[in-house]
Amino acid sequence: MLDVLQPKAILLADRSYDNDAIRALAAGRGAWANIPPRKTLRQMVYRQRNLVER
């Protein structure tokens, strides 16, 4: 399915498909990946930000 992505298309996907490889593939074909971030990713970002602020 990803092989037929056209430029300026929007790739809609579930949280389970949130990874850099899929986003890079979409960007390489000129499409935009609309994939919500995984909940664990938000927790990791918060933890890293919290460490920096301290």
Side-chain angles (χ1 to χ4, degrees):
M1 183 165 96
L2 296 175
D3 292 334
V4 296
L5 274 176
Q6 300 294 321
K8 298 187 180 181
I10 298 174
L11 173 65
L12 297 174
D14 193 275
R15 279 190 172 123
S16 60
Y17 293 98
D18 179 30
N19 66 41
D20 293 335
I22 292 176
R23 291 180 188 277
L25 179 75
R29 294 178 183 266
W32 183 66
N34 185 11
I35 306 171
R38 291 175 288 175
K39 291 180 182 181
T40 57
L41 181 63
R42 277 190 272 157
Q43 291 172 352
M44 285 184 359
V45 170
Y46 175 77
R47 287 181 190 153
Q48 291 172 351
R49 190 190 83 208
N50 192 14
L51 288 174
V52 170
E53 288 178 354
R54 289 179 184 204

Coordinates of all heavy atoms in Angstrom, one line a residue:
M1 N 0.8 -1.2 0.0 CA 0.0 0.0 0.0 C 0.9 1.3 0.0 O 0.5 2.2 -0.6 CB -0.9 0.0 1.2 CG -1.9 1.1 1.3 SD -3.2 0.9 2.4 CE -2.6 1.7 3.8
L2 N 2.0 1.2 0.7 CA 2.8 2.4 0.7 C 3.6 2.7 -0.6 O 4.0 3.7 -0.8 CB 3.9 2.3 1.9 CG 3.3 2.2 3.3 CD1 4.4 1.9 4.3 CD2 2.5 3.5 3.6
D3 N 3.6 1.6 -1.4 CA 4.3 1.8 -2.7 C 3.5 2.7 -3.7 O 4.1 3.2 -4.6 CB 4.5 0.4 -3.4 CG 5.5 -0.4 -2.6 OD1 6.3 0.1 -1.9 OD2 5.4 -1.7 -2.7
V4 N 2.3 2.9 -3.4 CA 1.5 3.7 -4.4 C 1.2 5.1 -3.8 O 0.3 5.8 -4.4 CB 0.1 3.0 -4.7 CG1 0.4 1.8 -5.5 CG2 -0.7 2.8 -3.5
L5 N 1.9 5.6 -2.8 CA 1.7 6.9 -2.3 C 2.1 8.0 -3.3 O 3.1 7.9 -3.9 CB 2.6 7.2 -1.1 CG 2.0 6.7 0.3 CD1 3.1 6.9 1.4 CD2 0.8 7.4 0.6
Q6 N 1.2 8.9 -3.6 CA 1.4 10.0 -4.5 C 1.9 11.2 -3.8 O 1.6 11.4 -2.6 CB 0.1 10.3 -5.3 CG -0.5 9.1 -6.0 CD 0.4 8.7 -7.2 OE1 1.0 9.5 -7.8 NE2 0.5 7.4 -7.4
P7 N 2.5 12.1 -4.5 CA 2.9 13.4 -3.9 C 1.7 14.2 -3.4 O 0.6 14.1 -4.0 CB 3.6 14.1 -5.0 CG 4.1 13.1 -5.9 CD 3.1 12.0 -5.8
K8 N 1.9 14.8 -2.3 CA 0.8 15.6 -1.6 C -0.3 14.8 -1.1 O -1.4 15.3 -0.8 CB 0.3 16.7 -2.6 CG 1.4 17.7 -2.9 CD 0.8 18.9 -3.7 CE 2.0 19.8 -4.1 NZ 1.5 21.0 -4.8
A9 N -0.2 13.5 -1.0 CA -1.2 12.6 -0.4 C -1.0 12.7 1.1 O 0.0 13.0 1.7 CB -1.0 11.2 -0.9
I10 N -2.1 12.3 1.8 CA -2.1 12.2 3.3 C -2.2 10.7 3.7 O -3.2 10.1 3.3 CB -3.2 13.0 3.9 CG1 -3.0 14.5 3.6 CG2 -3.2 12.8 5.4 CD1 -4.1 15.4 4.0
L11 N -1.2 10.2 4.4 CA -1.3 8.9 4.9 C -1.9 8.9 6.3 O -1.3 9.4 7.2 CB 0.2 8.3 5.0 CG 0.3 6.9 5.6 CD1 -0.4 5.9 4.8 CD2 1.8 6.6 5.8
L12 N -3.1 8.3 6.4 CA -3.7 8.2 7.7 C -3.4 6.8 8.3 O -3.6 5.8 7.6 CB -5.3 8.3 7.5 CG -5.7 9.7 7.0 CD1 -7.2 9.6 6.7 CD2 -5.4 10.8 8.0
A13 N -3.0 6.8 9.5 CA -2.6 5.5 10.1 C -2.9 5.5 11.6 O -3.1 6.6 12.2 CB -1.2 5.2 9.9
D14 N -2.9 4.4 12.2 CA -3.2 4.2 13.6 C -1.9 4.4 14.4 O -0.8 4.5 13.9 CB -3.7 2.8 13.9 CG -4.3 2.6 15.2 OD1 -3.5 2.3 16.1 OD2 -5.5 2.7 15.4
R15 N -2.0 4.6 15.7 CA -0.9 4.8 16.6 C 0.2 3.7 16.5 O 1.3 3.9 16.7 CB -1.3 4.9 18.1 CG -1.8 6.2 18.5 CD -2.0 6.2 20.0 NE -2.3 7.6 20.3 CZ -3.4 7.9 21.0 NH1 -4.2 7.0 21.4 NH2 -3.6 9.2 21.3
S16 N -0.3 2.5 16.2 CA 0.6 1.3 16.1 C 1.6 1.5 15.0 O 2.6 0.8 14.9 CB -0.2 0.0 16.0 OG -1.0 0.1 14.8
Y17 N 1.3 2.4 14.0 CA 2.2 2.6 12.9 C 3.1 3.8 13.1 O 3.8 4.2 12.1 CB 1.4 2.7 11.6 CG 0.7 1.5 11.2 CD1 -0.6 1.3 11.5 CD2 1.4 0.4 10.6 CE1 -1.3 0.1 11.2 CE2 0.7 -0.7 10.2 CZ -0.6 -0.9 10.5 OH -1.3 -2.0 10.2
D18 N 3.2 4.3 14.3 CA 4.1 5.5 14.5 C 5.5 5.0 14.6 O 6.0 4.6 15.7 CB 3.6 6.1 15.8 CG 4.4 7.4 16.2 OD1 4.9 8.0 15.2 OD2 4.6 7.7 17.4
N19 N 6.2 5.2 13.6 CA 7.7 5.0 13.6 C 8.4 5.8 12.5 O 7.7 6.3 11.6 CB 8.1 3.5 13.5 CG 7.7 2.9 12.1 OD1 7.9 3.5 11.1 ND2 7.2 1.7 12.2
D20 N 9.6 6.0 12.7 CA 10.4 7.0 11.8 C 10.5 6.4 10.4 O 10.5 7.2 9.4 CB 11.8 7.2 12.4 CG 11.7 8.0 13.7 OD1 10.7 8.7 13.9 OD2 12.6 7.9 14.5
A21 N 10.5 5.1 10.2 CA 10.7 4.5 8.9 C 9.5 4.9 8.0 O 9.6 5.2 6.8 CB 10.9 3.0 9.0
I22 N 8.3 4.7 8.6 CA 7.1 5.0 7.8 C 6.9 6.5 7.5 O 6.6 6.9 6.4 CB 5.8 4.5 8.5 CG1 5.8 3.0 8.5 CG2 4.5 5.0 7.8 CD1 4.7 2.3 9.3
R23 N 7.3 7.3 8.4 CA 7.2 8.8 8.2 C 8.3 9.2 7.2 O 8.0 10.0 6.3 CB 7.5 9.5 9.5 CG 6.4 9.4 10.5 CD 6.7 10.2 11.8 NE 5.7 9.9 12.8 CZ 4.5 10.5 12.9 NH1 4.2 11.4 12.0 NH2 3.7 10.2 13.9
A24 N 9.5 8.6 7.2 CA 10.5 8.9 6.2 C 10.1 8.5 4.8 O 10.3 9.2 3.8 CB 11.8 8.3 6.6
L25 N 9.5 7.3 4.7 CA 9.0 6.8 3.4 C 8.0 7.7 2.8 O 8.0 8.1 1.7 CB 8.4 5.4 3.6 CG 7.9 4.8 2.3 CD1 9.0 4.3 1.4 CD2 7.0 3.6 2.6
A26 N 7.0 8.2 3.7 CA 6.0 9.1 3.2 C 6.6 10.4 2.8 O 6.3 11.0 1.7 CB 4.9 9.3 4.3
A27 N 7.5 10.9 3.6 CA 8.2 12.2 3.2 C 9.0 12.1 1.9 O 9.0 13.0 1.1 CB 9.0 12.7 4.4
G28 N 9.6 10.9 1.8 CA 10.4 10.7 0.6 C 9.6 10.7 -0.7 O 10.1 11.0 -1.8
R29 N 8.3 10.3 -0.6 CA 7.4 10.3 -1.7 C 6.6 11.6 -1.9 O 5.7 11.7 -2.7 CB 6.5 9.1 -1.6 CG 7.3 7.8 -1.7 CD 6.3 6.6 -1.6 NE 7.1 5.4 -1.6 CZ 7.3 4.7 -2.7 NH1 6.8 5.0 -3.8 NH2 8.0 3.5 -2.6
G30 N 6.9 12.5 -1.0 CA 6.2 13.8 -1.1 C 4.8 13.8 -0.4 O 4.0 14.7 -0.6
A31 N 4.5 12.8 0.4 CA 3.3 12.7 1.1 C 3.5 13.1 2.6 O 4.6 13.3 3.0 CB 2.8 11.2 1.1
W32 N 2.4 13.3 3.2 CA 2.4 13.7 4.6 C 1.8 12.6 5.5 O 0.7 12.1 5.2 CB 1.6 15.0 4.8 CG 1.7 15.5 6.2 CD1 2.8 16.0 6.9 CD2 0.6 15.6 7.1 NE1 2.4 16.4 8.1 CE2 1.1 16.2 8.3 CE3 -0.8 15.3 7.0 CZ2 0.3 16.4 9.4 CZ3 -1.6 15.5 8.1 CH2 -1.0 16.1 9.3
A33 N 2.5 12.1 6.5 CA 2.0 11.1 7.4 C 1.2 11.7 8.6 O 1.8 12.4 9.4 CB 3.1 10.2 7.9
N34 N -0.1 11.4 8.6 CA -0.9 11.9 9.7 C -1.1 10.7 10.7 O -2.1 9.9 10.6 CB -2.2 12.4 9.2 CG -3.1 13.0 10.3 OD1 -2.6 13.2 11.4 ND2 -4.3 13.2 10.0
I35 N -0.1 10.5 11.6 CA -0.1 9.3 12.5 C 0.0 9.9 13.9 O 1.0 10.6 14.2 CB 1.0 8.4 12.2 CG1 1.1 8.0 10.8 CG2 1.0 7.2 13.1 CD1 2.3 7.2 10.3
P36 N -1.0 9.6 14.8 CA -0.9 10.2 16.1 C 0.3 9.5 16.9 O 0.6 8.3 16.6 CB -2.2 9.8 16.8 CG -2.8 8.8 15.9 CD -2.2 8.9 14.6
P37 N 1.0 10.2 17.8 CA 2.1 9.6 18.5 C 1.6 8.6 19.5 O 0.5 8.6 20.0 CB 2.7 10.8 19.2 CG 1.7 11.8 19.3 CD 0.8 11.6 18.1
R38 N 2.5 7.6 19.7 CA 2.2 6.6 20.8 C 2.2 7.3 22.1 O 2.9 8.2 22.4 CB 3.2 5.5 20.7 CG 3.1 4.6 19.5 CD 4.2 3.6 19.4 NE 5.4 4.4 19.1 CZ 6.7 4.0 19.1 NH1 6.9 2.7 19.4 NH2 7.7 4.8 18.8
K39 N 1.4 6.7 23.0 CA 1.4 7.3 24.4 C 2.7 7.2 25.1 O 3.1 8.1 25.8 CB 0.3 6.6 25.2 CG -1.1 6.9 24.7 CD -2.1 6.2 25.5 CE -3.5 6.5 25.0 NZ -4.6 5.9 25.7
T40 N 3.4 6.1 24.9 CA 4.7 5.9 25.5 C 5.7 7.0 25.0 O 6.6 7.4 25.8 CB 5.3 4.5 25.2 OG1 5.4 4.3 23.8 CG2 4.5 3.5 25.9
L41 N 5.6 7.4 23.8 CA 6.5 8.5 23.3 C 6.3 9.8 24.0 O 7.2 10.4 24.4 CB 6.3 8.7 21.8 CG 7.1 9.7 21.1 CD1 8.6 9.3 21.2 CD2 6.7 9.9 19.6
R42 N 5.0 10.1 24.3 CA 4.7 11.3 25.0 C 5.3 11.3 26.4 O 5.9 12.2 26.9 CB 3.2 11.6 25.1 CG 2.7 12.3 23.9 CD 1.3 12.7 24.1 NE 0.4 11.6 23.7 CZ -0.8 11.4 24.2 NH1 -1.3 12.2 25.0 NH2 -1.5 10.3 23.8
Q43 N 5.3 10.1 27.0 CA 5.8 9.9 28.4 C 7.3 10.1 28.3 O 7.9 10.7 29.2 CB 5.4 8.6 28.9 CG 4.0 8.5 29.3 CD 3.6 7.1 29.7 OE1 4.4 6.1 29.5 NE2 2.3 6.9 30.1
M44 N 8.0 9.6 27.3 CA 9.4 9.7 27.2 C 9.9 11.1 27.0 O 10.8 11.6 27.6 CB 10.0 8.8 26.0 CG 10.0 7.4 26.3 SD 10.7 6.3 25.0 CE 11.2 7.4 23.7
V45 N 9.1 11.8 26.2 CA 9.5 13.3 25.9 C 9.3 14.0 27.2 O 10.1 14.9 27.5 CB 8.6 13.8 24.8 CG1 8.7 15.3 24.7 CG2 8.9 13.2 23.5
Y46 N 8.2 13.8 27.9 CA 8.0 14.5 29.2 C 9.1 14.2 30.2 O 9.6 15.1 30.8 CB 6.7 14.1 29.8 CG 6.5 14.7 31.2 CD1 6.1 16.0 31.3 CD2 6.7 14.0 32.3 CE1 5.9 16.6 32.6 CE2 6.5 14.5 33.6 CZ 6.1 15.8 33.7 OH 6.0 16.4 34.9
R47 N 9.6 13.0 30.3 CA 10.7 12.6 31.2 C 11.9 13.3 30.8 O 12.7 13.8 31.6 CB 10.9 11.1 31.2 CG 9.8 10.4 31.9 CD 10.1 8.9 31.9 NE 8.9 8.2 32.5 CZ 8.6 6.9 32.1 NH1 9.4 6.3 31.3 NH2 7.5 6.4 32.6
Q48 N 12.2 13.4 29.5 CA 13.5 14.0 29.0 C 13.4 15.5 29.3 O 14.3 16.2 29.7 CB 13.7 13.8 27.6 CG 14.1 12.4 27.3 CD 14.1 12.0 25.8 OE1 13.7 12.9 25.0 NE2 14.6 10.9 25.5
R49 N 12.2 16.1 29.1 CA 12.1 17.6 29.3 C 12.2 17.9 30.8 O 12.8 18.8 31.2 CB 10.7 18.0 28.8 CG 10.6 19.5 28.8 CD 9.2 20.0 28.5 NE 8.5 19.9 29.8 CZ 7.2 19.7 29.9 NH1 6.4 19.6 28.8 NH2 6.6 19.7 31.1
N50 N 11.6 17.0 31.6 CA 11.7 17.2 33.0 C 13.2 17.2 33.5 O 13.5 18.0 34.4 CB 10.9 16.1 33.7 CG 10.7 16.4 35.2 OD1 10.9 17.5 35.7 ND2 10.2 15.4 35.9
L51 N 14.0 16.3 33.0 CA 15.4 16.2 33.4 C 16.1 17.5 33.0 O 16.9 18.0 33.7 CB 16.0 15.0 32.7 CG 15.6 13.6 33.3 CD1 16.3 12.5 32.5 CD2 16.1 13.5 34.8
V52 N 15.8 18.0 31.8 CA 16.5 19.2 31.3 C 16.1 20.4 32.2 O 17.0 21.2 32.5 CB 16.1 19.4 29.8 CG1 16.6 20.8 29.4 CG2 16.7 18.4 28.9
E53 N 14.8 20.5 32.6 CA 14.4 21.6 33.4 C 15.0 21.6 34.8 O 15.2 22.6 35.4 CB 12.9 21.6 33.5 CG 12.2 22.0 32.2 CD 10.7 21.9 32.2 OE1 10.2 21.5 33.3 OE2 10.1 22.3 31.3
R54 N 15.3 20.4 35.3 CA 15.9 20.3 36.6 C 17.3 20.7 36.5 O 18.0 21.1 37.4 CB 15.7 18.9 37.2 CG 14.3 18.6 37.5 CD 14.2 17.2 38.1 NE 12.8 16.9 38.3 CZ 12.4 16.0 39.2 NH1 13.3 15.3 39.9 NH2 11.2 15.8 39.3

